[in-house]
Amino acid sequence: MDKLLLITLLVPLVGAGLLSLGALSGRQAVRRIALTTTLITLGLTLVLAANFPHDGELGEAGSFASSSFTWLGGDSGLDVRMSVGLDGLSLWLFVLSALLMVTALLASWEAIRSREASFYSLLLLLECGCLGVFAARDLVLFYVFFEFTLIPLFFLIGIWGSENRRYAAIKFFLYTLAGSLLTFLGLITIVVWHYLQRGRLTFSIPELTEAISSGALALPFGLQLAIFLALFAGFAIKVPLFPFHTWLPLAHVQAPTAGSVFLAGILLKMGTYGFLRFSVPLLPEATAACVPWILWLAVIGIVYGALVALAQQDMKKLIAYSSVSHLGYCMLGMFALNPLGVTGSVLQMINHGISTGALFALIGMLYERYHTRDIKQLGGLARRLPIFSFFFVLFALSSIGLPGLNGFTGEIMILLGMFQRAGGGTGPMVPSYLVITALAVSGVVLGAWYMLWLVQRLLFGAVRTPDAMSAEKVNEIKDLQTREIAALAPLAVLVIAIGVWPSPLIDRVKPTLDNLTSSAESRLGPPEILVRETHHPGEELVTRADQP
Amino acid sequence: MPISLETFALLLPEGIVIVGGICLLIGGAFFGPRRGWVILALTFLILAAWCFARSLSGGPTTSEMPREFAEGPLQFDSITIFFRGLSLVIGGLLVMAMGGQTAARVATEQVGLLLLSIAGLMLAAGAGDFILLFIGLELVTFPTYVIVLLGNRGRPSREAAVKYFYLSIFASALFLFGVAHLYGATGTLSLRPGMELANASGATSLAALEMLALSLILAGVAFKLAAAPFHFYAPDVYQDASNGAAGLLAVIPKIIGIIVVVRILGMAISLPGMAEGAWQWIIILSMVSMTLGNVCALWQENVRRLMAYSSIAHAGYMLMGVAAALASNGSADGMAVDGIGATLFYLAVYSAATLGIFAVLTHLGSGNQDVDKVSQLRGLGRTHPISMLILIVCLFSLAGIPPLAGFWGKFGLFASSLGMLGEGESLFHSAASRWFVALAVVAAINAAIAAAYYLRIIALICFYPPTASLQGKGGIFPLLSGAACAALVLVSGILPGPLFHRSQQAGGSAWERGEITPSEREDIRQVGSEDVQKKSHG
């Protein structure tokens, strides 16, 4: 089992290498090799997930299927390790990466008609990078994978994207690179500090986390704040947190379908993953101090993203802005910093990956048929494309958060967590947090609005087809093929399964999350302490009014 | 020092390279340019490398030699080994990149002169005193004047050569002037740390003179590195030189500059008053160089001018490690990654990546028509896929994107700078931590700026349909050289261990040459001051 994780990481690389050979034998071979590789990878990740402890307790090691060997060692004790392992936080994101890659690949089966070998090998490299980010247990290794994902995506957007692809590719790359370089400085600072205080040079993430939570390593508050801001630069751009989201709609819209699916499904999660893996456990005091700021940014993102999504004419852009809104929920739950909120946040990461990934794939399939993403040009598709419409409605409802589907489980936990943070149920309330909670709930309503409106305009009403298409061409358009259904069906099953019975997911996640957030949560304290410390006259009125 | 046959045996690799250079210069005059000359030059280099490798396994080292020799002008330590290896590898790649132009009338002479330059690098790497260091420096520099002049561009080549010649001579003079002052202040030309202090009685009273001397030497070195504010010549000279010659200018002077820095550092650090303020000046030089280089490169249309500004920026990066090393004052405490070691690693990786780019540019041009404009590379990916791959690897490495070697270069530099933090309540508790945090942040922002122009080239190569077809008549050798560079960059990115380890070792011995450790140096310092006191009492 220990070697299995390493093998899983290597499979896509081997596949990418094989593709350069397969290129000689034509298009069909290339696609088959790529598909086989992703299926093997998915199978391996599923084996790993099945063997993961069911209660999520990982014992001493703190990670599952871990293996580790020196990558870059030195006389002075420098020891950068190839160290991989899974824990509750990374497990499902790891599986989701492998799953979405299959969807992405099937969705681009027919759409990509030039330089297929390069396209699919870049996709496989991207998969390797994403799997690596979630599996890495070493700071430098994490960063290497984190940055490496930019290279394949840069080429995927720049070569196979739509009209404005060149600008989008460069903007995406530079924007995220600029932030993540500062993140890198922050991460190294933590390592250096650990070295200065304890005389041991380690890049191991579990060891650093352990040192902080056990109190063996104490970072002064000023330093924590500086490092927090450095990490924030990279992760907030990746999430993207308002107002650092401007690269996202551009990159999403210009990327080819596979790129959009993966960008929305996995790459954005690297930001939230980074916050939860590094910022919260390693910098507990700075995290506690920054909670109000980040909550406000998150809720602004929720409402702003939803409002902008309402105004879109381009389907892809609409979904892209809805991502800004949904990732706002992730951040909100995470920085509510209580078990309910954080667990909800992780669920939301997975759910958003499934539903938004699927929606992007669906839009890609629609684009292959009608060559437009303009909502105005289309209408009444339910009559013409019933299977397509079924999937579209299902994933749209999941994205809205309809009870019984997966979106609901995450969102309700986040909102409840936030309500708890605001003091609900435990006594005195914090007015500003209540406002945030209320605004977040309004975001759900807005979400239903833009999504249902999209469904209505696209699927129902009078049949409309793009002006540019002739009648015969329109008549030739067929509903989803088996391949496309196969791409979407696993995601659809997950949407319902997680909606009905999320506890297998949550059980495996929870112990890890409690470990990661406990020290930051204890720094924040229960809400009433917060009220006593800040002591605003207005807040006292509220507390008095609450007590009869 | 008695000169014996063994002394020459120690210099066998240098000797072989020099003999090779002379053979090519003479032979070229009679037989004209042929592909065979390149192969002959490579043979000489490989022979030298073989001798070098043999000396590594069984040859004598400084510590085993008689004492007179150990104090003489030659020293063999891990710095020598590192730079000899680097010079031979880079030299071989340069020979292939430049020698491919069989069409050029003077290609053979160019390659012969190039071999002399390489020999100069190797000599300087083993220098134990200022005389040999200066001889090495000049042996490197003089052939480069001629190589630039012999470029295939006619008048512009001559213009570049004249510009480079006058400014370079001026820099050498500054360097020599500084050495003279230092000799006046300390009474020795030895580069071995600690030793000169024991000899130099009353060194403290001459601190101002020593500072002046080191400033002059630094100015000379900064010129070689093309670091601000001594960078002005670089864009003009690169633009007017041929692609091959520009590649040489981007690499060889940088290597010799760093050799001089590393060789002088161990001695300089033991001068009184050196440790307090010097590293701040280096930090300023470093920040100005990288910012100026990167920002100016954003607007360049000429590919060599762009690479010139990029090389100015990289000089700034290399100075980061030097500053960290100076500030740490030779103590290994708090230094997770040795600053000099990080600089050496960065230098090696930069050299390979830059050379790869120039080699491909040489390949893409033809005998008398160089690639000039960045826009000529448009759509290269469709017409020249191998060149495209090489350029992508080298450019991403220069931008410092993992998993390429350039990333580990930046990693080492960042780690060595942030290693200077020291413990305190915030990031700003001491002057050192303030300066180095600022340096690291500026460097990180600069890395993002640099990525902008490297990406612009990559986007141009990969995302656009080809417009004008490049000839690609530069021959197969430059392409091989470029491919070897890209392979080096890729392999040492995925397996950085061997190169990183060697450069850290070499960096460490910049302080502890021979048997003298920092604590012993402290003793010597005390003994020296006691001597002074005794003398003043007596």
Side-chain angles (χ1 to χ4, degrees):
Chain A
M1 194 54 62
D2 288 358
K3 291 281 167 286
L4 194 61
L5 184 56
L6 271 181
I7 296 170
T8 315
L9 286 172
L10 283 176
V11 168
L13 272 187
V14 174
L18 276 179
L19 278 188
S20 43
L21 299 176
L24 307 172
S25 54
R27 181 154 178 251
Q28 198 60 28
V30 165
R31 293 190 301 193
R32 283 202 182 133
I33 292 174
L35 185 63
T36 318
T37 314
T38 51
L39 285 176
I40 294 173
T41 316
L42 177 63
L44 291 173
T45 59
L46 289 178
V47 171
L48 282 168
N51 285 297
F52 195 81
H54 293 263
D55 53 358
E57 292 295 347
L58 294 163
E60 283 285 297
S63 59
F64 171 73
S66 50
S67 54
S68 167
F69 50 89
T70 301
W71 191 10
L72 178 58
D75 297 336
S76 60
L78 180 73
D79 192 15
V80 176
R81 301 187 74 83
M82 278 279 192
S83 166
V84 291
L86 293 175
D87 65 2
L89 174 57
S90 50
L91 174 71
W92 296 120
L93 289 167
F94 190 76
V95 176
L96 185 67
S97 307
L99 179 62
L100 274 184
M101 186 44 80
V102 177
T103 307
L105 204 132
L106 287 173
S108 39
W109 199 256
E110 294 294 338
I112 301 302
R113 291 188 171 276
S114 67
R115 297 197 251 173
E116 288 96 350
S118 322
F119 180 85
Y120 290 113
S121 55
L122 283 170
L123 265 191
L124 291 176
L125 287 180
L126 182 63
E127 180 176 23
C128 175
C130 291
L131 293 174
V133 166
F134 297 125
R137 283 291 164 276
D138 181 286
L139 275 181
V140 179
L141 186 66
F142 166 81
Y143 185 77
V144 165
F145 281 122
F146 189 76
E147 290 260 284
F148 173 66
T149 54
L150 297 183
I151 297 181
L153 209 56
F154 173 71
F155 289 113
L156 284 174
I157 297 176
I159 298 179
W160 291 274
S162 37
E163 317 80 42
N164 202 8
R165 58 184 184 272
R166 291 151 190 154
Y167 174 64
I170 291 185
K171 182 169 182 179
F172 156 75
F173 195 107
L174 288 182
Y175 211 137
T176 41
L177 177 71
S180 59
L181 279 165
L182 291 175
T183 304
F184 189 46
L185 285 188
L187 293 176
I188 292 185
T189 309
I190 298 176
V191 172
V192 166
W193 205 261
H194 183 264
Y195 177 63
L196 289 173
Q197 278 209 341
R198 305 187 68 201
R200 204 179 121 58
L201 190 64
T202 178
F203 292 88
S204 154
I205 298 170
E207 195 176 333
L208 290 170
T209 315
E210 173 60 30
I212 296 265
S213 65
S214 67
L217 171 63
L219 295 167
F221 181 72
L223 187 74
Q224 279 200 24
L225 205 59
I227 299 175
F228 187 89
L229 287 177
L231 298 191
F232 182 84
F235 295 146
I237 288 173
K238 204 92 182 181
V239 169
L241 202 58
F242 178 87
F244 306 104
H245 63 276
T246 51
W247 64 269
L248 175 120
L250 189 68
H252 265 104
V253 172
Q254 302 301 330
T257 303
S260 304
V261 170
F262 228 65
L263 197 58
I266 304 300
L267 271 101
L268 305 188
K269 309 304 178 299
M270 287 180 189
T272 45
Y273 176 81
F275 272 115
L276 205 44
R277 174 69 70 203
F278 300 105
S279 304
V280 174
L282 293 179
L283 311 161
E285 277 141 24
T287 304
C290 290
V291 157
W293 300 94
I294 294 193
L295 287 179
W296 273 111
L297 285 182
V299 83
I300 291 173
I302 292 175
V303 176
Y304 172 85
L307 287 175
V308 178
L310 259 178
Q312 296 309 316
Q313 285 306 319
D314 184 320
M315 284 181 265
K316 246 184 165 177
K317 242 184 183 158
L318 191 151
I319 306 294
Y321 277 106
S322 87
S323 289
V324 176
S325 184
H326 282 142
L327 267 295
Y329 284 109
C330 280
M331 293 302 290
L332 198 73
M334 192 188 301
F335 281 83
L337 273 183
N338 45 31
L340 205 54
V342 177
T343 314
S345 168
V346 173
L347 262 186
Q348 173 82 351
M349 289 184 210
I350 295 152
N351 292 336
H352 174 261
I354 295 171
S355 56
T356 307
L359 282 172
F360 272 121
L362 278 165
I363 291 172
M365 293 167 188
L366 199 60
Y367 185 80
E368 272 175 57
R369 290 173 168 73
Y370 289 99
H371 304 286
T372 180
R373 295 188 306 258
D374 191 351
I375 303 173
K376 271 188 188 155
Q377 302 249 359
L378 296 166
L381 291 178
R383 219 167 291 167
R384 296 199 53 88
L385 309 172
I387 306 176
F388 171 87
S389 305
F390 165 74
F391 281 115
F392 200 89
V393 171
L394 180 72
F395 290 119
L397 290 178
S398 138
S399 168
I400 293 167
L402 186 79
L405 299 181
N406 64 344
F408 176 75
T409 50
E411 260 172 30
I412 193 72
M413 286 175 89
I414 289 169
L415 291 174
L416 283 177
M418 191 55 222
F419 190 61
Q420 254 181 24
R421 174 55 58 208
T426 50
M429 308 289 264
V430 187
S432 61
Y433 287 178
L434 271 183
V435 173
I436 291 177
T437 318
L439 283 172
V441 173
S442 79
V444 178
V445 179
L446 287 172
W449 185 358
Y450 64 72
M451 242 15 229
L452 290 178
W453 195 28
L454 172 71
V455 168
Q456 184 210 350
R457 284 182 289 174
L458 207 58
L459 304 183
F460 304 111
V463 176
R464 245 180 321 201
T465 49
D467 307 331
M469 287 182 83
S470 61
E472 305 101 68
K473 278 217 168 152
V474 171
N475 283 331
E476 280 172 18
I477 289 171
K478 294 206 180 69
D479 206 350
L480 298 189
Q481 302 164 353
T482 324
R483 162 181 65 81
E484 292 166 316
I485 295 172
L488 297 169
L491 299 178
V493 170
L494 278 179
V495 161
I496 295 166
I498 298 174
V500 178
W501 195 39
S503 54
L505 245 78
I506 296 174
D507 291 345
R508 286 169 176 77
V509 165
K510 209 145 179 335
T512 308
L513 292 187
D514 290 345
N515 275 340
L516 289 177
T517 56
S518 57
S519 54
E521 195 189 348
S522 66
R523 299 300 200 293
L524 201 57
E528 55 266 358
I529 294 173
L530 207 76
V531 175
R532 235 174 270 148
E533 274 174 0
T534 46
H535 216 76
H536 292 303
E539 281 169 2
E540 271 190 358
L541 280 179
V542 174
T543 41
R544 259 182 234 140
D546 273 1
Q547 289 154 357
Chain B
M1 188 188 91
I3 292 176
S4 65
L5 211 57
E6 283 155 29
T7 321
F8 284 106
L10 282 170
L11 288 175
L12 201 56
E14 283 86 351
I16 292 172
V17 177
I18 289 179
V19 168
I22 293 171
C23 280
L24 255 73
L25 280 177
I26 295 174
F30 290 102
F31 300 106
R34 280 183 203 168
R35 194 162 284 182
W37 291 121
V38 178
I39 294 166
L40 186 66
L42 285 178
T43 317
F44 274 112
L45 284 176
I46 290 166
L47 199 62
W50 179 69
C51 285
F52 167 59
R54 257 180 66 95
S55 75
L56 282 187
S57 52
T61 58
T62 316
S63 50
E64 292 164 7
M65 283 169 214
R67 186 147 182 84
E68 311 86 64
F69 186 87
E71 287 168 10
L74 278 176
Q75 46 186 353
F76 290 93
D77 51 17
S78 40
I79 298 179
T80 321
I81 293 171
F82 180 84
F83 277 111
R84 267 185 171 180
L86 180 68
S87 312
L88 284 170
V89 172
I90 294 294
L93 293 170
L94 256 174
V95 164
M96 292 208 294
M98 292 193 67
Q101 304 159 319
T102 42
R105 199 165 40 82
V106 285
T108 318
E109 281 81 352
Q110 278 191 336
V111 174
L113 290 163
L114 181 58
L115 287 186
L116 292 183
S117 257
I118 294 161
L121 282 182
M122 293 162 73
L123 262 187
D129 67 8
F130 273 110
I131 301 292
L132 192 63
L133 190 64
F134 185 71
I135 291 175
L137 183 70
E138 290 306 291
L139 185 55
V140 170
T141 315
F142 267 88
T144 55
Y145 303 142
V146 189
I147 292 173
V148 174
L149 181 69
L150 293 181
N152 55 354
R153 296 167 59 80
R155 210 183 123 85
S157 282
R158 288 198 289 279
E159 189 182 327
V162 169
K163 271 182 194 160
Y164 183 58
F165 175 72
Y166 279 117
L167 286 167
S168 179
I169 286 285
F170 180 62
S172 293
L174 282 182
F175 177 82
L176 209 52
F177 198 42
V179 172
H181 280 306
L182 205 60
Y183 181 64
T186 62
T188 176
L189 285 170
S190 170
L191 284 169
R192 292 191 163 76
M195 216 165 279
E196 72 288 342
L197 279 174
N199 300 342
S201 50
T204 40
S205 60
L206 294 167
L209 193 58
E210 286 164 3
M211 282 291 104
L212 176 67
L214 285 175
S215 311
L216 288 169
I217 292 174
L218 181 66
V221 170
F223 176 86
K224 298 284 171 216
L225 290 175
F230 304 96
H231 65 279
F232 288 104
Y233 74 96
D236 283 355
V237 172
Y238 284 34
Q239 182 173 4
D240 286 343
S242 65
N243 276 329
L248 177 133
L249 284 177
V251 171
I252 298 269
K254 287 258 192 309
I255 299 179
I256 187 69
I258 295 293
I259 289 178
V260 172
V261 168
V262 173
R263 278 301 176 203
I264 291 180
L265 202 67
M267 185 276 305
I269 200 98
S270 50
L271 295 175
M274 183 63 199
E276 277 77 43
W279 52 267
Q280 291 169 358
W281 289 104
I282 306 268
I283 288 184
I284 291 173
L285 279 193
S286 158
M287 293 205 279
V288 172
S289 296
M290 61 174 88
T291 312
L292 192 138
N294 280 329
V295 171
C296 289
L298 286 173
W299 285 279
Q300 299 311 321
E301 289 303 325
N302 184 293
V303 65
R304 284 186 301 279
R305 219 176 162 79
L306 186 147
M307 289 306 292
Y309 280 111
S310 132
S311 91
I312 294 169
H314 286 290
Y317 278 109
M318 288 172 205
L319 288 177
M320 277 177 84
V322 177
L326 270 177
S328 79
N329 199 7
S331 73
D333 315 330
M335 290 273 281
V337 175
D338 180 74
I340 292 292
T343 296
L344 295 185
F345 184 87
Y346 198 89
L347 174 72
V349 171
Y350 158 84
S351 304
T354 305
L355 201 53
I357 291 169
F358 279 112
V360 169
L361 290 179
T362 310
H363 166 74
L364 289 174
S366 66
N368 43 23
Q369 186 74 53
D370 269 351
V371 178
D372 285 325
K373 297 258 181 272
V374 178
S375 54
Q376 278 175 280
L377 297 174
R378 179 187 290 253
L380 184 73
R382 302 280 171 84
T383 51
H384 299 83
I386 297 174
S387 300
M388 171 193 77
L389 278 179
I390 296 169
L391 283 178
I392 287 176
V393 168
C394 292
L395 286 168
F396 270 133
S397 173
L398 286 178
I401 310 290
L404 298 166
F407 164 73
W408 296 105
K410 294 234 159 59
F411 165 75
L413 290 176
F414 285 168
S416 65
S417 297
L418 290 175
M420 291 293 98
L421 271 180
E423 282 191 69
E425 271 308 298
S426 73
L427 284 177
F428 309 110
H429 62 93
S430 71
S433 75
R434 270 197 296 275
W435 278 92
F436 278 100
V437 167
L439 178 64
V441 170
V442 169
I445 294 169
N446 262 292
I449 301 175
Y453 58 84
Y454 295 129
L455 277 188
R456 188 167 63 107
I457 303 179
I458 295 174
L460 211 58
I461 293 172
C462 299
F463 299 168
Y464 288 87
T467 46
S469 64
L470 287 161
Q471 290 177 309
K473 283 186 187 159
I476 187 74
F477 278 115
L479 191 64
L480 280 178
S481 164
C485 288
L488 280 179
V489 166
L490 191 63
V491 169
S492 49
I494 291 165
L495 297 170
L499 184 57
F500 205 88
H501 189 66
R502 288 214 168 76
S503 53
Q504 286 287 317
Q505 230 175 13
S509 66
W511 312 112
E512 295 156 39
R513 207 157 308 134
E515 304 89 73
I516 301 165
T517 61
S519 59
E520 281 171 337
R521 183 157 64 236
E522 203 55 42
D523 293 344
I524 293 170
R525 209 181 276 193
Q526 276 166 5
V527 171
S529 57
E530 276 164 21
D531 281 354
V532 174
Q533 281 167 2
K534 270 181 208 157
K535 270 178 197 162
S536 62
H537 285 304

